[in-house]
Amino acid sequence: MSVLSEFAEFLKKYQVIGLAVAFVIGAASTKMVTALVTDIIMPIIGVLIPGGDWRTATLQIGSAKFMIGDFVGALIDFMIIALVVFTIVKLIMKEEATGKKKK
């Protein structure tokens, strides 16, 4: 078996092309969710919090400067992305389960 045919078999066996497509779509959806959080959700939260621009909030302890606002924003981004992925997987699993029952 040649190296080229072994490589083709590897791609088929581990579905590398599908994984690459999922990675690219995941990266694009991450950008969309980040834009949603940054441009829509955070301004609403900023209005509710005194001082407004909370993403720049820091906590100074001695010479250490902790970027609390940035961390909270990243945490909100993560929670929204996790919720979207959970919802998509749940829908896919539900369709697979109903598809198997109909056969």
Side-chain angles (χ1 to χ4, degrees):
M1 192 180 260
S2 72
V3 174
L4 190 57
S5 62
E6 285 182 40
F7 183 67
E9 182 64 30
F10 167 79
L11 292 177
K12 289 177 189 174
K13 182 177 179 181
Y14 294 105
Q15 300 175 353
V16 175
I17 303 299
L19 180 61
V21 169
F23 180 79
V24 170
I25 290 173
S29 66
T30 299
K31 287 182 181 180
M32 279 183 30
V33 170
T34 301
L36 170 73
V37 170
T38 302
D39 300 335
I40 295 173
I41 295 173
M42 294 310 173
I44 294 169
I45 293 173
V47 169
L48 301 175
I49 295 176
D53 192 18
W54 61 272
R55 273 237 190 209
T56 59
T58 60
L59 174 64
Q60 187 85 27
I61 301 177
S63 62
K65 187 177 185 181
F66 298 97
M67 308 295 279
I68 300 297
D70 189 49
F71 175 74
V72 170
L75 187 62
I76 292 171
D77 287 351
F78 171 78
M79 295 302 289
I80 292 172
I81 291 168
L83 179 64
V84 168
V85 169
F86 170 76
T87 304
I88 290 171
V89 168
K90 191 169 181 170
L91 289 172
I92 290 171
M93 293 300 175
K94 184 178 179 182
E95 288 177 9
E96 285 182 6
T98 56
K100 289 179 182 176
K101 289 179 183 177
K102 290 181 181 178
K103 289 182 180 180

